[in-house]
Amino acid sequence: MFQLLEDHKAYGFSAPKDQQVVTAIEYQEVILACKYPKKTISSRLEWKKLGRSVSFVYYQQALQGDFKERAEMIDFSIRIKNVTRNDAGKYRCEVSAPSEQGQNLEEDTVTLEVLVAPAVPSCEVPHSALSGTVVELRCQDKEGNPAPEYTWFKDGIRLVGNSKVGSQSTNSSYSMNTKSGTLQFNTVSKMDSGEYSCEARNSVGHRKCPGKRMQVDDLNISGIIAAVVVVALVISVCGLGVCYAQRKGYFSKETSFQKSSSASKATAMSENDFKHTKSFII
């Protein structure tokens, strides 16, 4: 192992892309190696994680933070036993040692990339749709690294990347975007009814969302016509009723009654005023 650490700057789950990058799968082991020829008693070693703020990983001959519990030192290198996505980033080892010219400082930078398997993707499938309309199903995962690709399934059968009208697999026309996770039916039909699920997959792993059923129905033209006819009949009956009432004079009788009632009130008021005037004169 020590020979391997001397040959490479960084070592992890897979071979590094270059002398400064190491990759590891989340929750597995990784070694960040500091390329320095030889450790001496007088050498002073520090490891730092770079970013918006610099934090110590190894300082004053001790691991810092949560690295105390899940890492160990191998000479100048750090062995992380249980790497997490939060560990991703740039690390720098600094080794200082006395020399004839004074204190000699050497630095080495290592970039750690953490690969993360997708989580169960979020799938959006409409419960119902009308045939002939445009319908879009959505699938998304926010945790996978690298970004996963998506595949849709209907009734447990994988759908191909795209389809033409009349194909045996779907009897419909759709387009599937494996990058964004969308499945769009340009003209959905009853044959597209079924249970849909989506799988997110990258180089680390894959997860699938639970199936959701989509029911596609034809537009009920006869039902709409029947409803229109019923509404028209109701309006006609109401109109006939109003005409009948007018012919019978129901509205005029009510008006005459109101007029006679007003006249009676006026007569009564006049008589009262006359009586009051007469009594005043007497």
Side-chain angles (χ1 to χ4, degrees), residues 145-176:
N145 182 40
E149 293 192 350
Y150 302 95
T151 304
W152 280 93
F153 295 79
K154 178 192 174 187
D155 297 328
I157 300 175
R158 182 189 300 267
L159 297 178
V160 295
N162 53 60
S163 173
K164 295 181 179 180
V165 176
S167 67
Q168 294 181 356
S169 58
T170 60
N171 292 312
S172 183
S173 175
Y174 66 82
S175 59
M176 179 167 56

PDB file of all heavy atoms in Angstrom, residues 145-176:
ATOM      1  N   ASN A 145     -24.921  11.738  -8.119  1.00  0.00           N
ATOM      2  CA  ASN A 145     -23.718  12.360  -8.696  1.00  0.00           C
ATOM      3  C   ASN A 145     -22.808  11.243  -9.228  1.00  0.00           C
ATOM      4  O   ASN A 145     -22.356  10.402  -8.443  1.00  0.00           O
ATOM      5  CB  ASN A 145     -22.970  13.187  -7.655  1.00  0.00           C
ATOM      6  CG  ASN A 145     -21.745  13.874  -8.243  1.00  0.00           C
ATOM      7  OD1 ASN A 145     -21.778  14.369  -9.359  1.00  0.00           O
ATOM      8  ND2 ASN A 145     -20.647  13.868  -7.510  1.00  0.00           N
ATOM      9  N   PRO A 146     -22.605  11.197 -10.532  1.00  0.00           N
ATOM     10  CA  PRO A 146     -23.032  12.164 -11.542  1.00  0.00           C
ATOM     11  C   PRO A 146     -24.543  12.150 -11.763  1.00  0.00           C
ATOM     12  O   PRO A 146     -25.234  11.230 -11.326  1.00  0.00           O
ATOM     13  CB  PRO A 146     -22.287  11.699 -12.803  1.00  0.00           C
ATOM     14  CG  PRO A 146     -22.055  10.242 -12.578  1.00  0.00           C
ATOM     15  CD  PRO A 146     -21.831  10.080 -11.114  1.00  0.00           C
ATOM     16  N   ALA A 147     -25.038  13.198 -12.449  1.00  0.00           N
ATOM     17  CA  ALA A 147     -26.480  13.314 -12.684  1.00  0.00           C
ATOM     18  C   ALA A 147     -26.989  12.066 -13.393  1.00  0.00           C
ATOM     19  O   ALA A 147     -26.389  11.614 -14.373  1.00  0.00           O
ATOM     20  CB  ALA A 147     -26.766  14.553 -13.530  1.00  0.00           C
ATOM     21  N   PRO A 148     -28.077  11.482 -12.900  1.00  0.00           N
ATOM     22  CA  PRO A 148     -28.568  10.228 -13.486  1.00  0.00           C
ATOM     23  C   PRO A 148     -29.305  10.445 -14.799  1.00  0.00           C
ATOM     24  O   PRO A 148     -29.716  11.558 -15.131  1.00  0.00           O
ATOM     25  CB  PRO A 148     -29.526   9.703 -12.412  1.00  0.00           C
ATOM     26  CG  PRO A 148     -30.035  10.938 -11.744  1.00  0.00           C
ATOM     27  CD  PRO A 148     -28.900  11.918 -11.751  1.00  0.00           C
ATOM     28  N   GLU A 149     -29.460   9.355 -15.536  1.00  0.00           N
ATOM     29  CA  GLU A 149     -30.342   9.330 -16.697  1.00  0.00           C
ATOM     30  C   GLU A 149     -31.620   8.585 -16.305  1.00  0.00           C
ATOM     31  O   GLU A 149     -31.618   7.753 -15.399  1.00  0.00           O
ATOM     32  CB  GLU A 149     -29.651   8.653 -17.883  1.00  0.00           C
ATOM     33  CG  GLU A 149     -28.478   9.453 -18.423  1.00  0.00           C
ATOM     34  CD  GLU A 149     -27.993   8.922 -19.764  1.00  0.00           C
ATOM     35  OE1 GLU A 149     -28.442   7.819 -20.168  1.00  0.00           O
ATOM     36  OE2 GLU A 149     -27.171   9.596 -20.409  1.00  0.00           O
ATOM     37  N   TYR A 150     -32.702   8.900 -17.022  1.00  0.00           N
ATOM     38  CA  TYR A 150     -34.022   8.405 -16.630  1.00  0.00           C
ATOM     39  C   TYR A 150     -34.613   7.500 -17.710  1.00  0.00           C
ATOM     40  O   TYR A 150     -34.440   7.739 -18.902  1.00  0.00           O
ATOM     41  CB  TYR A 150     -34.965   9.582 -16.370  1.00  0.00           C
ATOM     42  CG  TYR A 150     -34.465  10.534 -15.301  1.00  0.00           C
ATOM     43  CD1 TYR A 150     -33.740  11.673 -15.637  1.00  0.00           C
ATOM     44  CD2 TYR A 150     -34.702  10.291 -13.947  1.00  0.00           C
ATOM     45  CE1 TYR A 150     -33.272  12.549 -14.672  1.00  0.00           C
ATOM     46  CE2 TYR A 150     -34.241  11.157 -12.974  1.00  0.00           C
ATOM     47  CZ  TYR A 150     -33.524  12.290 -13.340  1.00  0.00           C
ATOM     48  OH  TYR A 150     -33.065  13.140 -12.376  1.00  0.00           O
ATOM     49  N   THR A 151     -35.316   6.478 -17.229  1.00  0.00           N
ATOM     50  CA  THR A 151     -36.019   5.562 -18.116  1.00  0.00           C
ATOM     51  C   THR A 151     -37.425   5.344 -17.574  1.00  0.00           C
ATOM     52  O   THR A 151     -37.603   5.136 -16.366  1.00  0.00           O
ATOM     53  CB  THR A 151     -35.295   4.206 -18.213  1.00  0.00           C
ATOM     54  OG1 THR A 151     -33.949   4.417 -18.642  1.00  0.00           O
ATOM     55  CG2 THR A 151     -35.991   3.290 -19.209  1.00  0.00           C
ATOM     56  N   TRP A 152     -38.422   5.395 -18.464  1.00  0.00           N
ATOM     57  CA  TRP A 152     -39.809   5.194 -18.068  1.00  0.00           C
ATOM     58  C   TRP A 152     -40.254   3.768 -18.391  1.00  0.00           C
ATOM     59  O   TRP A 152     -39.809   3.164 -19.378  1.00  0.00           O
ATOM     60  CB  TRP A 152     -40.728   6.192 -18.769  1.00  0.00           C
ATOM     61  CG  TRP A 152     -40.725   7.545 -18.127  1.00  0.00           C
ATOM     62  CD1 TRP A 152     -39.951   8.608 -18.450  1.00  0.00           C
ATOM     63  CD2 TRP A 152     -41.536   7.971 -17.020  1.00  0.00           C
ATOM     64  NE1 TRP A 152     -40.218   9.675 -17.634  1.00  0.00           N
ATOM     65  CE2 TRP A 152     -41.199   9.307 -16.753  1.00  0.00           C
ATOM     66  CE3 TRP A 152     -42.508   7.349 -16.243  1.00  0.00           C
ATOM     67  CZ2 TRP A 152     -41.793  10.043 -15.740  1.00  0.00           C
ATOM     68  CZ3 TRP A 152     -43.112   8.077 -15.229  1.00  0.00           C
ATOM     69  CH2 TRP A 152     -42.756   9.404 -14.979  1.00  0.00           C
ATOM     70  N   PHE A 153     -41.162   3.247 -17.540  1.00  0.00           N
ATOM     71  CA  PHE A 153     -41.729   1.919 -17.719  1.00  0.00           C
ATOM     72  C   PHE A 153     -43.250   2.031 -17.717  1.00  0.00           C
ATOM     73  O   PHE A 153     -43.817   2.812 -16.957  1.00  0.00           O
ATOM     74  CB  PHE A 153     -41.301   0.974 -16.591  1.00  0.00           C
ATOM     75  CG  PHE A 153     -39.819   0.693 -16.549  1.00  0.00           C
ATOM     76  CD1 PHE A 153     -38.931   1.616 -16.005  1.00  0.00           C
ATOM     77  CD2 PHE A 153     -39.319  -0.493 -17.053  1.00  0.00           C
ATOM     78  CE1 PHE A 153     -37.575   1.364 -15.962  1.00  0.00           C
ATOM     79  CE2 PHE A 153     -37.957  -0.758 -17.006  1.00  0.00           C
ATOM     80  CZ  PHE A 153     -37.086   0.169 -16.465  1.00  0.00           C
ATOM     81  N   LYS A 154     -43.876   1.236 -18.580  1.00  0.00           N
ATOM     82  CA  LYS A 154     -45.334   1.143 -18.581  1.00  0.00           C
ATOM     83  C   LYS A 154     -45.715  -0.308 -18.298  1.00  0.00           C
ATOM     84  O   LYS A 154     -45.313  -1.216 -19.031  1.00  0.00           O
ATOM     85  CB  LYS A 154     -45.917   1.577 -19.922  1.00  0.00           C
ATOM     86  CG  LYS A 154     -47.442   1.435 -19.970  1.00  0.00           C
ATOM     87  CD  LYS A 154     -47.972   1.585 -21.379  1.00  0.00           C
ATOM     88  CE  LYS A 154     -49.475   1.287 -21.409  1.00  0.00           C
ATOM     89  NZ  LYS A 154     -50.011   1.263 -22.785  1.00  0.00           N
ATOM     90  N   ASP A 155     -46.464  -0.498 -17.203  1.00  0.00           N
ATOM     91  CA  ASP A 155     -46.869  -1.847 -16.789  1.00  0.00           C
ATOM     92  C   ASP A 155     -45.662  -2.771 -16.678  1.00  0.00           C
ATOM     93  O   ASP A 155     -45.698  -3.951 -17.052  1.00  0.00           O
ATOM     94  CB  ASP A 155     -47.897  -2.421 -17.766  1.00  0.00           C
ATOM     95  CG  ASP A 155     -49.185  -1.611 -17.799  1.00  0.00           C
ATOM     96  OD1 ASP A 155     -49.553  -1.041 -16.752  1.00  0.00           O
ATOM     97  OD2 ASP A 155     -49.818  -1.541 -18.876  1.00  0.00           O
ATOM     98  N   GLY A 156     -44.547  -2.211 -16.183  1.00  0.00           N
ATOM     99  CA  GLY A 156     -43.334  -2.994 -15.958  1.00  0.00           C
ATOM    100  C   GLY A 156     -42.466  -3.198 -17.182  1.00  0.00           C
ATOM    101  O   GLY A 156     -41.403  -3.820 -17.083  1.00  0.00           O
ATOM    102  N   ILE A 157     -42.860  -2.675 -18.333  1.00  0.00           N
ATOM    103  CA  ILE A 157     -42.101  -2.852 -19.572  1.00  0.00           C
ATOM    104  C   ILE A 157     -41.386  -1.542 -19.903  1.00  0.00           C
ATOM    105  O   ILE A 157     -42.006  -0.470 -19.921  1.00  0.00           O
ATOM    106  CB  ILE A 157     -43.016  -3.268 -20.739  1.00  0.00           C
ATOM    107  CG1 ILE A 157     -43.717  -4.585 -20.402  1.00  0.00           C
ATOM    108  CG2 ILE A 157     -42.226  -3.400 -22.031  1.00  0.00           C
ATOM    109  CD1 ILE A 157     -44.727  -5.007 -21.439  1.00  0.00           C
ATOM    110  N   ARG A 158     -40.094  -1.631 -20.166  1.00  0.00           N
ATOM    111  CA  ARG A 158     -39.298  -0.440 -20.473  1.00  0.00           C
ATOM    112  C   ARG A 158     -39.761   0.184 -21.792  1.00  0.00           C
ATOM    113  O   ARG A 158     -39.941  -0.501 -22.794  1.00  0.00           O
ATOM    114  CB  ARG A 158     -37.821  -0.817 -20.572  1.00  0.00           C
ATOM    115  CG  ARG A 158     -36.888   0.361 -20.847  1.00  0.00           C
ATOM    116  CD  ARG A 158     -35.483  -0.127 -21.151  1.00  0.00           C
ATOM    117  NE  ARG A 158     -34.952  -0.869 -20.030  1.00  0.00           N
ATOM    118  CZ  ARG A 158     -34.208  -0.344 -19.053  1.00  0.00           C
ATOM    119  NH1 ARG A 158     -33.914   0.954 -19.111  1.00  0.00           N
ATOM    120  NH2 ARG A 158     -33.750  -1.080 -18.068  1.00  0.00           N
ATOM    121  N   LEU A 159     -39.928   1.497 -21.773  1.00  0.00           N
ATOM    122  CA  LEU A 159     -40.283   2.214 -22.995  1.00  0.00           C
ATOM    123  C   LEU A 159     -39.016   2.612 -23.739  1.00  0.00           C
ATOM    124  O   LEU A 159     -38.017   2.986 -23.125  1.00  0.00           O
ATOM    125  CB  LEU A 159     -41.095   3.472 -22.665  1.00  0.00           C
ATOM    126  CG  LEU A 159     -42.456   3.253 -21.995  1.00  0.00           C
ATOM    127  CD1 LEU A 159     -43.102   4.599 -21.693  1.00  0.00           C
ATOM    128  CD2 LEU A 159     -43.368   2.424 -22.881  1.00  0.00           C
ATOM    129  N   VAL A 160     -39.062   2.538 -25.058  1.00  0.00           N
ATOM    130  CA  VAL A 160     -37.921   2.936 -25.865  1.00  0.00           C
ATOM    131  C   VAL A 160     -37.808   4.450 -25.862  1.00  0.00           C
ATOM    132  O   VAL A 160     -38.718   5.164 -25.413  1.00  0.00           O
ATOM    133  CB  VAL A 160     -38.069   2.410 -27.309  1.00  0.00           C
ATOM    134  CG1 VAL A 160     -38.034   0.893 -27.318  1.00  0.00           C
ATOM    135  CG2 VAL A 160     -39.359   2.909 -27.929  1.00  0.00           C
ATOM    136  N   GLY A 161     -36.689   4.960 -26.383  1.00  0.00           N
ATOM    137  CA  GLY A 161     -36.416   6.393 -26.324  1.00  0.00           C
ATOM    138  C   GLY A 161     -37.471   7.255 -26.969  1.00  0.00           C
ATOM    139  O   GLY A 161     -37.804   8.315 -26.490  1.00  0.00           O
ATOM    140  N   ASN A 162     -38.033   6.817 -28.108  1.00  0.00           N
ATOM    141  CA  ASN A 162     -39.117   7.564 -28.740  1.00  0.00           C
ATOM    142  C   ASN A 162     -39.995   6.589 -29.491  1.00  0.00           C
ATOM    143  O   ASN A 162     -39.635   5.433 -29.704  1.00  0.00           O
ATOM    144  CB  ASN A 162     -38.561   8.641 -29.681  1.00  0.00           C
ATOM    145  CG  ASN A 162     -37.577   8.057 -30.673  1.00  0.00           C
ATOM    146  OD1 ASN A 162     -37.917   7.184 -31.460  1.00  0.00           O
ATOM    147  ND2 ASN A 162     -36.342   8.529 -30.622  1.00  0.00           N
ATOM    148  N   SER A 163     -41.151   7.052 -29.900  1.00  0.00           N
ATOM    149  CA  SER A 163     -42.116   6.168 -30.551  1.00  0.00           C
ATOM    150  C   SER A 163     -42.808   6.894 -31.686  1.00  0.00           C
ATOM    151  O   SER A 163     -42.921   8.116 -31.682  1.00  0.00           O
ATOM    152  CB  SER A 163     -43.152   5.696 -29.525  1.00  0.00           C
ATOM    153  OG  SER A 163     -44.173   4.968 -30.161  1.00  0.00           O
ATOM    154  N   LYS A 164     -43.271   6.147 -32.659  1.00  0.00           N
ATOM    155  CA  LYS A 164     -44.059   6.693 -33.754  1.00  0.00           C
ATOM    156  C   LYS A 164     -45.490   6.187 -33.656  1.00  0.00           C
ATOM    157  O   LYS A 164     -45.752   5.153 -33.061  1.00  0.00           O
ATOM    158  CB  LYS A 164     -43.451   6.282 -35.101  1.00  0.00           C
ATOM    159  CG  LYS A 164     -42.064   6.865 -35.343  1.00  0.00           C
ATOM    160  CD  LYS A 164     -41.533   6.439 -36.703  1.00  0.00           C
ATOM    161  CE  LYS A 164     -40.142   7.046 -36.953  1.00  0.00           C
ATOM    162  NZ  LYS A 164     -39.618   6.624 -38.278  1.00  0.00           N
ATOM    163  N   VAL A 165     -46.379   6.911 -34.262  1.00  0.00           N
ATOM    164  CA  VAL A 165     -47.787   6.525 -34.230  1.00  0.00           C
ATOM    165  C   VAL A 165     -47.942   5.134 -34.821  1.00  0.00           C
ATOM    166  O   VAL A 165     -47.423   4.822 -35.890  1.00  0.00           O
ATOM    167  CB  VAL A 165     -48.637   7.537 -35.012  1.00  0.00           C
ATOM    168  CG1 VAL A 165     -50.091   7.084 -35.064  1.00  0.00           C
ATOM    169  CG2 VAL A 165     -48.526   8.915 -34.387  1.00  0.00           C
ATOM    170  N   GLY A 166     -48.664   4.273 -34.124  1.00  0.00           N
ATOM    171  CA  GLY A 166     -48.927   2.928 -34.621  1.00  0.00           C
ATOM    172  C   GLY A 166     -47.901   1.903 -34.202  1.00  0.00           C
ATOM    173  O   GLY A 166     -47.954   0.764 -34.633  1.00  0.00           O
ATOM    174  N   SER A 167     -46.937   2.280 -33.341  1.00  0.00           N
ATOM    175  CA  SER A 167     -45.952   1.296 -32.909  1.00  0.00           C
ATOM    176  C   SER A 167     -46.610   0.256 -32.019  1.00  0.00           C
ATOM    177  O   SER A 167     -47.580   0.515 -31.335  1.00  0.00           O
ATOM    178  CB  SER A 167     -44.821   1.996 -32.143  1.00  0.00           C
ATOM    179  OG  SER A 167     -45.298   2.520 -30.926  1.00  0.00           O
ATOM    180  N   GLN A 168     -46.048  -0.917 -31.989  1.00  0.00           N
ATOM    181  CA  GLN A 168     -46.651  -2.022 -31.245  1.00  0.00           C
ATOM    182  C   GLN A 168     -46.498  -1.839 -29.744  1.00  0.00           C
ATOM    183  O   GLN A 168     -47.273  -2.359 -28.974  1.00  0.00           O
ATOM    184  CB  GLN A 168     -46.003  -3.340 -31.677  1.00  0.00           C
ATOM    185  CG  GLN A 168     -46.295  -3.713 -33.121  1.00  0.00           C
ATOM    186  CD  GLN A 168     -45.652  -5.035 -33.492  1.00  0.00           C
ATOM    187  OE1 GLN A 168     -44.939  -5.625 -32.694  1.00  0.00           O
ATOM    188  NE2 GLN A 168     -45.905  -5.503 -34.701  1.00  0.00           N
ATOM    189  N   SER A 169     -45.473  -1.046 -29.325  1.00  0.00           N
ATOM    190  CA  SER A 169     -45.224  -0.934 -27.891  1.00  0.00           C
ATOM    191  C   SER A 169     -46.227  -0.027 -27.187  1.00  0.00           C
ATOM    192  O   SER A 169     -46.615  -0.300 -26.060  1.00  0.00           O
ATOM    193  CB  SER A 169     -43.801  -0.394 -27.644  1.00  0.00           C
ATOM    194  OG  SER A 169     -43.656   0.873 -28.274  1.00  0.00           O
ATOM    195  N   THR A 170     -46.665   1.060 -27.838  1.00  0.00           N
ATOM    196  CA  THR A 170     -47.538   2.012 -27.142  1.00  0.00           C
ATOM    197  C   THR A 170     -48.786   2.398 -27.930  1.00  0.00           C
ATOM    198  O   THR A 170     -49.715   2.935 -27.354  1.00  0.00           O
ATOM    199  CB  THR A 170     -46.761   3.306 -26.839  1.00  0.00           C
ATOM    200  OG1 THR A 170     -46.331   3.867 -28.077  1.00  0.00           O
ATOM    201  CG2 THR A 170     -45.561   3.044 -25.966  1.00  0.00           C
ATOM    202  N   ASN A 171     -48.791   2.172 -29.240  1.00  0.00           N
ATOM    203  CA  ASN A 171     -49.904   2.601 -30.090  1.00  0.00           C
ATOM    204  C   ASN A 171     -50.137   4.105 -29.960  1.00  0.00           C
ATOM    205  O   ASN A 171     -51.248   4.579 -30.034  1.00  0.00           O
ATOM    206  CB  ASN A 171     -51.194   1.846 -29.724  1.00  0.00           C
ATOM    207  CG  ASN A 171     -51.093   0.385 -30.091  1.00  0.00           C
ATOM    208  OD1 ASN A 171     -50.682   0.039 -31.200  1.00  0.00           O
ATOM    209  ND2 ASN A 171     -51.447  -0.473 -29.165  1.00  0.00           N
ATOM    210  N   SER A 172     -49.101   4.858 -29.714  1.00  0.00           N
ATOM    211  CA  SER A 172     -49.237   6.293 -29.570  1.00  0.00           C
ATOM    212  C   SER A 172     -47.933   6.948 -29.976  1.00  0.00           C
ATOM    213  O   SER A 172     -46.979   6.272 -30.355  1.00  0.00           O
ATOM    214  CB  SER A 172     -49.596   6.659 -28.129  1.00  0.00           C
ATOM    215  OG  SER A 172     -49.798   8.046 -28.012  1.00  0.00           O
ATOM    216  N   SER A 173     -47.900   8.271 -29.919  1.00  0.00           N
ATOM    217  CA  SER A 173     -46.694   9.017 -30.245  1.00  0.00           C
ATOM    218  C   SER A 173     -46.226   9.736 -28.992  1.00  0.00           C
ATOM    219  O   SER A 173     -46.977  10.504 -28.396  1.00  0.00           O
ATOM    220  CB  SER A 173     -46.984  10.022 -31.367  1.00  0.00           C
ATOM    221  OG  SER A 173     -45.860  10.836 -31.612  1.00  0.00           O
ATOM    222  N   TYR A 174     -44.989   9.518 -28.597  1.00  0.00           N
ATOM    223  CA  TYR A 174     -44.446  10.168 -27.413  1.00  0.00           C
ATOM    224  C   TYR A 174     -42.961  10.435 -27.621  1.00  0.00           C
ATOM    225  O   TYR A 174     -42.316   9.884 -28.526  1.00  0.00           O
ATOM    226  CB  TYR A 174     -44.661   9.316 -26.160  1.00  0.00           C
ATOM    227  CG  TYR A 174     -43.900   8.009 -26.152  1.00  0.00           C
ATOM    228  CD1 TYR A 174     -42.559   7.964 -25.782  1.00  0.00           C
ATOM    229  CD2 TYR A 174     -44.517   6.824 -26.516  1.00  0.00           C
ATOM    230  CE1 TYR A 174     -41.860   6.769 -25.783  1.00  0.00           C
ATOM    231  CE2 TYR A 174     -43.829   5.629 -26.511  1.00  0.00           C
ATOM    232  CZ  TYR A 174     -42.487   5.612 -26.147  1.00  0.00           C
ATOM    233  OH  TYR A 174     -41.793   4.429 -26.147  1.00  0.00           O
ATOM    234  N   SER A 175     -42.416  11.269 -26.767  1.00  0.00           N
ATOM    235  CA  SER A 175     -40.982  11.540 -26.751  1.00  0.00           C
ATOM    236  C   SER A 175     -40.499  11.474 -25.308  1.00  0.00           C
ATOM    237  O   SER A 175     -41.161  11.984 -24.398  1.00  0.00           O
ATOM    238  CB  SER A 175     -40.676  12.915 -27.356  1.00  0.00           C
ATOM    239  OG  SER A 175     -41.342  13.935 -26.639  1.00  0.00           O
ATOM    240  N   MET A 176     -39.334  10.826 -25.094  1.00  0.00           N
ATOM    241  CA  MET A 176     -38.786  10.661 -23.748  1.00  0.00           C
ATOM    242  C   MET A 176     -37.408  11.302 -23.692  1.00  0.00           C
ATOM    243  O   MET A 176     -36.534  10.987 -24.497  1.00  0.00           O
ATOM    244  CB  MET A 176     -38.707   9.178 -23.375  1.00  0.00           C
ATOM    245  CG  MET A 176     -38.134   8.924 -21.988  1.00  0.00           C
ATOM    246  SD  MET A 176     -38.399   7.216 -21.414  1.00  0.00           S
ATOM    247  CE  MET A 176     -37.628   6.278 -22.741  1.00  0.00           C
TER     248      MET A 176
END
